[in-house]
Amino acid sequence: MKVKTTDLQLSHVIAEDIFVNHTLLVSRGTKVSSDILSKLYIFRQDVNVYKEDENEIEIGTETEKLSDESALVLSDKIKERARTGVEYMFKCENADEIVSTANSVSSLLMEEIVGKSVINVSLTALHLSDEYTFQHSVDVGTMALLIARKLGYAGVELERVGLAGILHDIGKTKIPNSILNKPAKLTDEEFTIMKAHPVYGYQMLVESKDIEEYVRQGVLQHHEKYDGSGYPLKYAGNKINMIARILAVADVYDALVTERPYKKGKSPEIALEMMFGMHNHFDIRIVQAFLNTIILHPVGEHVFLSNGEECVVEAQNQGYPLRPVLKSVSSKQVYDLVDPSCLSLIIVTPEQ
Ligand SMILES: [Fe+2]
Protein backbone atom coordinates (compact mmCIF):
# COMPACT_ATOMS: atom_id res chain seq x y z
CA MET A 1 0.00 0.00 0.00
CA LYS A 2 1.09 3.55 -0.74
CA VAL A 3 1.62 5.96 2.16
CA LYS A 4 2.76 9.57 2.25
CA THR A 5 6.38 9.86 3.39
CA THR A 6 5.20 12.14 6.17
CA ASP A 7 2.89 9.35 7.44
CA LEU A 8 5.63 6.69 7.52
CA GLN A 9 6.15 4.96 10.84
CA LEU A 10 9.08 3.02 12.24
CA SER A 11 7.01 -0.20 12.11
CA HIS A 12 6.58 0.07 8.32
CA VAL A 13 8.53 -2.17 5.94
CA ILE A 14 9.34 -0.72 2.50
CA ALA A 15 7.78 -2.73 -0.34
CA GLU A 16 9.85 -1.44 -3.28
CA ASP A 17 13.44 -0.77 -4.26
CA ILE A 18 13.93 3.00 -4.18
CA PHE A 19 16.47 4.47 -6.58
CA VAL A 20 17.92 7.94 -6.86
CA ASN A 21 19.84 8.49 -10.09
CA HIS A 22 20.15 4.73 -10.66
CA THR A 23 21.70 4.24 -7.23
CA LEU A 24 19.78 2.18 -4.73
CA LEU A 25 18.72 4.31 -1.78
CA VAL A 26 16.54 1.82 0.11
CA SER A 27 15.93 -1.81 -0.78
CA ARG A 28 12.61 -3.63 -0.66
CA GLY A 29 12.09 -5.36 2.67
CA THR A 30 13.94 -2.69 4.70
CA LYS A 31 12.32 -1.70 7.99
CA VAL A 32 11.95 2.06 8.32
CA SER A 33 14.53 3.66 10.60
CA SER A 34 15.06 7.33 11.44
CA ASP A 35 17.99 7.37 9.02
CA ILE A 36 15.83 6.01 6.19
CA LEU A 37 13.02 8.39 7.11
CA SER A 38 15.27 11.40 6.69
CA LYS A 39 16.47 10.16 3.28
CA LEU A 40 12.93 9.49 2.09
CA TYR A 41 11.70 12.91 3.26
CA ILE A 42 14.21 14.43 0.85
CA PHE A 43 13.64 12.23 -2.19
CA ARG A 44 10.07 10.91 -2.08
CA GLN A 45 6.56 12.21 -1.45
CA ASP A 46 5.07 8.76 -1.04
CA VAL A 47 6.32 5.20 -0.84
CA ASN A 48 4.97 1.65 -1.07
CA VAL A 49 5.03 -0.27 2.21
CA TYR A 50 3.79 -3.71 3.14
CA LYS A 51 0.50 -3.89 4.95
CA GLU A 52 1.00 -4.79 8.60
CA ASP A 53 0.52 -8.55 8.13
CA GLU A 54 1.81 -8.84 4.54
CA ASN A 55 5.48 -9.02 5.44
CA GLU A 56 5.09 -11.76 8.00
CA ILE A 57 5.73 -15.34 7.04
CA GLU A 58 2.61 -17.25 7.95
CA ILE A 59 3.30 -20.26 10.09
CA GLY A 60 0.63 -22.57 11.41
CA THR A 61 -2.21 -20.87 9.55
CA GLU A 62 -4.55 -22.57 7.09
CA THR A 63 -2.41 -23.68 4.17
CA GLU A 64 -3.62 -22.81 0.71
CA LYS A 65 -4.33 -25.82 -1.46
CA LEU A 66 -3.58 -25.33 -5.11
CA SER A 67 -3.62 -27.32 -8.27
CA ASP A 68 -0.45 -27.39 -10.35
CA GLU A 69 -2.15 -27.14 -13.73
CA SER A 70 -0.33 -23.93 -14.49
CA ALA A 71 3.10 -25.28 -13.59
CA LEU A 72 5.74 -24.01 -15.95
CA VAL A 73 7.41 -26.47 -18.22
CA LEU A 74 9.73 -24.59 -20.52
CA SER A 75 9.43 -26.02 -24.01
CA ASP A 76 12.53 -27.70 -25.44
CA LYS A 77 12.61 -24.99 -28.11
CA ILE A 78 12.78 -22.20 -25.54
CA LYS A 79 15.37 -24.05 -23.46
CA GLU A 80 17.51 -24.59 -26.54
CA ARG A 81 17.21 -20.96 -27.69
CA ALA A 82 18.05 -19.68 -24.22
CA ARG A 83 20.99 -22.05 -23.83
CA THR A 84 22.36 -21.14 -27.27
CA GLY A 85 21.98 -17.45 -26.43
CA VAL A 86 23.94 -17.87 -23.20
CA GLU A 87 26.61 -19.94 -24.95
CA TYR A 88 27.00 -17.08 -27.45
CA MET A 89 27.08 -14.55 -24.60
CA PHE A 90 29.97 -16.37 -22.92
CA LYS A 91 31.97 -16.01 -26.13
CA CYS A 92 31.34 -12.26 -26.60
CA GLU A 93 34.34 -10.07 -25.94
CA ASN A 94 32.56 -6.75 -26.00
CA ALA A 95 30.68 -5.74 -22.83
CA ASP A 96 27.80 -4.08 -24.73
CA GLU A 97 27.33 -7.24 -26.78
CA ILE A 98 27.30 -9.36 -23.60
CA VAL A 99 24.63 -7.14 -22.06
CA SER A 100 22.43 -7.04 -25.16
CA THR A 101 22.63 -10.84 -25.56
CA ALA A 102 21.76 -11.33 -21.88
CA ASN A 103 18.84 -8.94 -22.36
CA SER A 104 17.48 -11.00 -25.28
CA VAL A 105 17.75 -14.27 -23.34
CA SER A 106 16.13 -12.72 -20.30
CA SER A 107 13.28 -11.32 -22.44
CA LEU A 108 12.76 -14.76 -23.94
CA LEU A 109 12.36 -16.28 -20.47
CA MET A 110 10.20 -13.39 -19.28
CA GLU A 111 7.82 -13.81 -22.22
CA GLU A 112 7.41 -17.48 -21.35
CA ILE A 113 6.84 -16.76 -17.70
CA VAL A 114 4.68 -13.66 -17.86
CA GLY A 115 2.68 -14.70 -20.92
CA LYS A 116 1.52 -17.94 -19.34
CA SER A 117 0.61 -16.43 -15.95
CA VAL A 118 2.59 -19.20 -14.37
CA ILE A 119 2.42 -19.56 -10.65
CA ASN A 120 4.48 -22.64 -10.07
CA VAL A 121 7.39 -24.38 -11.64
CA SER A 122 8.25 -27.99 -11.67
CA LEU A 123 11.99 -27.77 -11.28
CA THR A 124 12.61 -31.34 -12.26
CA ALA A 125 11.02 -30.51 -15.61
CA LEU A 126 12.96 -27.28 -15.85
CA HIS A 127 16.32 -28.76 -15.11
CA LEU A 128 18.20 -30.25 -18.00
CA SER A 129 21.85 -29.74 -17.47
CA ASP A 130 24.75 -30.92 -19.53
CA GLU A 131 26.84 -27.92 -20.45
CA TYR A 132 26.95 -26.69 -16.92
CA THR A 133 27.58 -22.96 -16.97
CA PHE A 134 25.29 -22.19 -19.91
CA GLN A 135 22.40 -24.22 -18.59
CA HIS A 136 23.05 -23.05 -15.03
CA SER A 137 22.71 -19.44 -16.18
CA VAL A 138 19.38 -20.17 -17.86
CA ASP A 139 18.10 -22.15 -14.84
CA VAL A 140 19.15 -19.49 -12.34
CA GLY A 141 17.72 -16.72 -14.53
CA THR A 142 14.40 -18.57 -14.79
CA MET A 143 14.17 -19.41 -11.10
CA ALA A 144 15.19 -15.88 -10.12
CA LEU A 145 12.44 -14.44 -12.34
CA LEU A 146 9.84 -16.73 -10.81
CA ILE A 147 10.93 -15.90 -7.27
CA ALA A 148 10.94 -12.17 -8.05
CA ARG A 149 7.47 -12.40 -9.53
CA LYS A 150 6.26 -14.13 -6.40
CA LEU A 151 7.74 -11.24 -4.41
CA GLY A 152 5.62 -8.82 -6.45
CA TYR A 153 8.24 -7.61 -8.92
CA ALA A 154 6.97 -6.52 -12.32
CA GLY A 155 8.10 -4.51 -15.35
CA VAL A 156 11.56 -2.96 -15.12
CA GLU A 157 12.20 -4.42 -11.66
CA LEU A 158 11.57 -7.92 -13.00
CA GLU A 159 13.75 -7.25 -16.05
CA ARG A 160 16.67 -6.31 -13.79
CA VAL A 161 16.42 -9.65 -11.96
CA GLY A 162 16.27 -11.67 -15.21
CA LEU A 163 19.24 -9.81 -16.64
CA ALA A 164 21.35 -10.32 -13.52
CA GLY A 165 20.36 -14.00 -13.41
CA ILE A 166 21.58 -14.59 -16.94
CA LEU A 167 24.78 -12.61 -16.31
CA HIS A 168 25.62 -13.69 -12.78
CA ASP A 169 28.47 -16.09 -13.68
CA ILE A 170 29.82 -14.19 -16.71
CA GLY A 171 33.06 -13.61 -14.75
CA LYS A 172 33.79 -17.34 -15.04
CA THR A 173 35.09 -16.61 -18.55
CA LYS A 174 38.18 -15.22 -16.78
CA ILE A 175 38.74 -18.39 -14.72
CA PRO A 176 41.14 -20.95 -16.25
CA ASN A 177 39.38 -23.97 -17.75
CA SER A 178 41.57 -26.30 -15.72
CA ILE A 179 39.85 -24.94 -12.59
CA LEU A 180 36.39 -24.40 -14.07
CA ASN A 181 36.05 -27.94 -15.40
CA LYS A 182 38.27 -29.76 -12.92
CA PRO A 183 36.72 -33.21 -12.44
CA ALA A 184 37.49 -33.15 -8.71
CA LYS A 185 37.07 -30.95 -5.67
CA LEU A 186 39.03 -27.69 -5.88
CA THR A 187 42.08 -27.14 -3.69
CA ASP A 188 42.03 -24.11 -1.36
CA GLU A 189 44.23 -22.20 -3.78
CA GLU A 190 42.01 -23.04 -6.76
CA PHE A 191 38.91 -22.11 -4.81
CA THR A 192 40.45 -18.70 -4.02
CA ILE A 193 40.87 -18.13 -7.77
CA MET A 194 37.32 -19.35 -8.44
CA LYS A 195 35.98 -16.94 -5.82
CA ALA A 196 37.17 -14.01 -7.93
CA HIS A 197 34.52 -14.63 -10.62
CA PRO A 198 31.90 -12.19 -9.20
CA VAL A 199 34.53 -9.43 -9.23
CA TYR A 200 35.62 -10.31 -12.77
CA GLY A 201 31.97 -10.27 -13.84
CA TYR A 202 31.46 -6.84 -12.29
CA GLN A 203 34.61 -5.48 -13.94
CA MET A 204 33.47 -6.76 -17.34
CA LEU A 205 30.04 -5.18 -16.95
CA VAL A 206 31.41 -1.81 -15.82
CA GLU A 207 32.62 -1.42 -19.39
CA SER A 208 29.02 -1.27 -20.64
CA LYS A 209 26.82 1.77 -20.16
CA ASP A 210 23.75 -0.27 -21.10
CA ILE A 211 23.47 -1.89 -17.69
CA GLU A 212 22.50 -0.22 -14.43
CA GLU A 213 24.90 -0.20 -11.51
CA TYR A 214 22.26 -1.93 -9.37
CA VAL A 215 22.22 -4.92 -11.76
CA ARG A 216 26.04 -5.00 -11.81
CA GLN A 217 25.96 -5.06 -8.00
CA GLY A 218 23.56 -8.03 -8.19
CA VAL A 219 26.21 -9.89 -10.19
CA LEU A 220 29.02 -8.77 -7.86
CA GLN A 221 27.18 -9.84 -4.72
CA HIS A 222 25.54 -13.13 -5.77
CA HIS A 223 27.81 -15.15 -3.44
CA GLU A 224 27.24 -12.92 -0.40
CA LYS A 225 25.46 -14.65 2.48
CA TYR A 226 22.86 -13.14 4.77
CA ASP A 227 25.01 -13.79 7.87
CA GLY A 228 28.02 -12.00 6.33
CA SER A 229 30.04 -15.17 5.65
CA GLY A 230 29.94 -14.90 1.85
CA TYR A 231 32.26 -13.23 -0.65
CA PRO A 232 33.71 -10.97 -2.05
CA LEU A 233 32.45 -8.04 0.08
CA LYS A 234 31.26 -9.97 3.16
CA TYR A 235 28.09 -7.88 3.23
CA ALA A 236 25.33 -9.04 5.58
CA GLY A 237 21.54 -8.70 5.86
CA ASN A 238 19.86 -5.80 4.13
CA LYS A 239 23.20 -4.43 3.00
CA ILE A 240 23.21 -7.15 0.34
CA ASN A 241 21.71 -6.08 -2.97
CA MET A 242 18.15 -7.44 -3.26
CA ILE A 243 18.76 -9.00 -6.69
CA ALA A 244 21.82 -10.76 -5.25
CA ARG A 245 19.70 -12.14 -2.40
CA ILE A 246 17.29 -13.64 -4.94
CA LEU A 247 20.12 -15.01 -7.08
CA ALA A 248 21.76 -16.61 -4.02
CA VAL A 249 18.72 -18.82 -3.36
CA ALA A 250 18.30 -19.85 -7.02
CA ASP A 251 22.06 -20.35 -7.46
CA VAL A 252 22.57 -22.58 -4.43
CA TYR A 253 19.53 -24.73 -5.22
CA ASP A 254 20.65 -25.23 -8.82
CA ALA A 255 24.22 -26.02 -7.77
CA LEU A 256 22.97 -28.66 -5.31
CA VAL A 257 20.70 -30.50 -7.74
CA THR A 258 23.16 -30.40 -10.64
CA GLU A 259 25.38 -33.35 -11.36
CA ARG A 260 29.00 -32.34 -11.90
CA PRO A 261 32.00 -34.43 -12.92
CA TYR A 262 33.07 -34.68 -9.27
CA LYS A 263 29.69 -34.97 -7.53
CA LYS A 264 26.25 -36.45 -7.99
CA GLY A 265 23.29 -34.09 -8.05
CA LYS A 266 21.15 -34.10 -4.90
CA SER A 267 17.48 -34.89 -5.18
CA PRO A 268 15.29 -31.76 -4.94
CA GLU A 269 14.08 -32.97 -1.52
CA ILE A 270 17.59 -33.30 -0.14
CA ALA A 271 18.63 -30.00 -1.73
CA LEU A 272 15.75 -28.24 0.05
CA GLU A 273 16.58 -29.90 3.36
CA MET A 274 20.21 -28.81 2.98
CA MET A 275 19.05 -25.27 2.25
CA PHE A 276 16.93 -25.26 5.41
CA GLY A 277 20.17 -26.16 7.22
CA MET A 278 21.87 -23.15 5.63
CA HIS A 279 19.03 -20.77 6.49
CA ASN A 280 21.47 -18.19 7.92
CA HIS A 281 22.83 -17.73 4.42
CA PHE A 282 19.56 -16.49 2.94
CA ASP A 283 16.92 -13.83 3.34
CA ILE A 284 14.05 -15.89 4.75
CA ARG A 285 11.42 -13.99 2.72
CA ILE A 286 13.14 -15.09 -0.46
CA VAL A 287 13.36 -18.71 0.65
CA GLN A 288 9.63 -18.53 1.40
CA ALA A 289 8.90 -17.10 -2.07
CA PHE A 290 11.06 -19.86 -3.57
CA LEU A 291 9.12 -22.53 -1.66
CA ASN A 292 5.88 -20.96 -2.89
CA THR A 293 7.18 -21.15 -6.44
CA ILE A 294 8.18 -24.76 -6.72
CA ILE A 295 6.41 -28.06 -7.07
CA LEU A 296 8.44 -31.18 -6.35
CA HIS A 297 5.67 -33.73 -6.66
CA PRO A 298 3.15 -32.88 -9.40
CA VAL A 299 -0.48 -33.98 -9.03
CA GLY A 300 -0.84 -37.58 -10.23
CA GLU A 301 2.73 -38.63 -9.36
CA HIS A 302 3.11 -41.92 -7.48
CA VAL A 303 5.25 -41.71 -4.36
CA PHE A 304 6.07 -43.90 -1.38
CA LEU A 305 5.27 -42.71 2.11
CA SER A 306 7.51 -43.52 5.08
CA ASN A 307 4.78 -45.88 6.43
CA GLY A 308 5.34 -48.01 3.32
CA GLU A 309 2.14 -47.05 1.50
CA GLU A 310 2.16 -46.19 -2.18
CA CYS A 311 0.24 -42.95 -2.73
CA VAL A 312 -0.81 -40.60 -5.52
CA VAL A 313 -0.34 -36.83 -5.18
CA GLU A 314 -3.76 -35.16 -4.98
CA ALA A 315 -2.93 -31.48 -4.38
CA GLN A 316 -0.12 -29.11 -3.37
CA ASN A 317 0.17 -27.20 -0.12
CA GLN A 318 1.52 -23.82 -1.12
CA GLY A 319 4.86 -23.12 0.52
CA TYR A 320 5.39 -26.75 1.55
CA PRO A 321 6.67 -28.55 -1.55
CA LEU A 322 7.81 -31.53 0.55
CA ARG A 323 4.32 -31.95 2.06
CA PRO A 324 1.54 -32.28 -0.53
CA VAL A 325 -1.83 -34.01 -0.08
CA LEU A 326 -1.63 -37.73 -0.90
CA LYS A 327 -4.11 -40.56 -1.35
CA SER A 328 -3.17 -44.15 -0.61
CA VAL A 329 -3.46 -46.42 -3.65
CA SER A 330 -4.65 -49.41 -1.60
CA SER A 331 -6.62 -48.01 1.37
CA LYS A 332 -7.74 -44.76 -0.37
CA GLN A 333 -6.90 -42.90 2.85
CA VAL A 334 -6.02 -39.25 2.31
CA TYR A 335 -2.85 -37.93 3.99
CA ASP A 336 -2.52 -34.16 4.13
CA LEU A 337 1.14 -33.98 5.07
CA VAL A 338 0.83 -30.50 6.63
CA ASP A 339 -1.87 -31.77 8.98
CA PRO A 340 -0.45 -32.16 12.53
CA SER A 341 -1.61 -35.81 12.59
CA CYS A 342 0.64 -36.53 9.57
CA LEU A 343 3.80 -34.71 10.66
CA SER A 344 5.67 -37.96 11.36
CA LEU A 345 5.18 -39.06 7.74
CA ILE A 346 7.50 -38.08 4.91
CA ILE A 347 7.81 -38.95 1.24
CA VAL A 348 10.62 -41.42 0.76
CA THR A 349 12.80 -40.68 -2.26
CA PRO A 350 15.04 -43.20 -3.99
CA GLU A 351 18.75 -43.04 -3.14
CA GLN A 352 20.61 -40.66 -5.46
FE1 LIG B 1 28.69 -17.74 -9.14
Side-chain angles (χ1 to χ4, degrees), residues 232-344:
L233 302 169
K234 296 202 183 307
Y235 281 176
N238 287 352
K239 199 169 179 195
I240 304 171
N241 172 296
M242 195 63 183
I243 296 178
R245 282 186 247 167
I246 296 172
L247 293 182
V249 171
D251 188 31
V252 168
Y253 177 82
D254 196 63
L256 286 172
V257 296
T258 303
E259 182 155 340
R260 302 283 285 130
Y262 56 90
K263 74 163 181 82
K264 287 187 167 180
K266 310 277 181 222
S267 72
E269 286 83 358
I270 300 213
L272 280 189
E273 276 175 23
M274 289 176 75
M275 287 175 75
F276 292 147
M278 309 172 195
H279 61 92
N280 287 344
H281 295 181
F282 308 115
D283 180 341
I284 188 72
R285 283 179 304 250
I286 291 165
V287 175
Q288 190 68 28
F290 176 63
L291 294 175
N292 283 335
T293 307
I294 60 172
I295 289 173
L296 296 185
H297 300 288
V299 168
E301 185 181 284
H302 282 241
V303 294
F304 282 93
L305 207 47
S306 48
N307 66 3
E309 285 192 73
E310 183 182 359
C311 296
V312 179
V313 179
E314 292 257 292
Q316 311 295 329
N317 281 309
Q318 180 150 30
Y320 299 89
L322 297 170
R323 297 195 155 270
V325 183
L326 306 175
K327 191 176 190 177
S328 165
V329 171
S330 53
S331 69
K332 306 293 177 210
Q333 186 177 341
V334 172
Y335 297 102
D336 184 345
L337 296 189
V338 295
D339 192 279
S341 64
C342 294
L343 287 184
S344 60

Side-chain angles (χ1 to χ4, degrees), residues 23-83:
T23 301
L24 184 71
L25 188 69
V26 180
S27 64
R28 176 196 295 257
T30 306
K31 201 163 183 185
V32 173
S33 63
S34 48
D35 179 42
I36 287 170
L37 261 183
S38 55
K39 284 183 192 166
L40 291 175
Y41 281 151
I42 301 168
F43 294 108
R44 292 286 289 259
Q45 291 198 317
D46 48 36
V47 62
N48 281 308
V49 296
Y50 289 108
K51 286 179 197 155
E52 290 289 296
D53 54 356
E54 208 176 48
N55 192 44
E56 298 298 324
I57 310 276
E58 288 178 27
I59 295 168
T61 55
E62 185 67 16
T63 313
E64 192 185 337
K65 304 276 185 288
L66 67 144
S67 85
D68 56 1
E69 281 166 14
S70 51
L72 170 72
V73 179
L74 287 183
S75 72
D76 286 346
K77 221 165 99 182
I78 296 291
K79 272 188 219 164
E80 184 51 28
R81 278 175 63 194
R83 198 205 57 79

Side-chain angles (χ1 to χ4, degrees), residues 79 121-128 253 268 295-298 301:
K79 272 188 219 164
V121 57
S122 169
L123 291 179
T124 36
L126 169 72
H127 200 82
L128 183 82
Y253 177 82
I295 289 173
L296 296 185
H297 300 288
E301 185 181 284

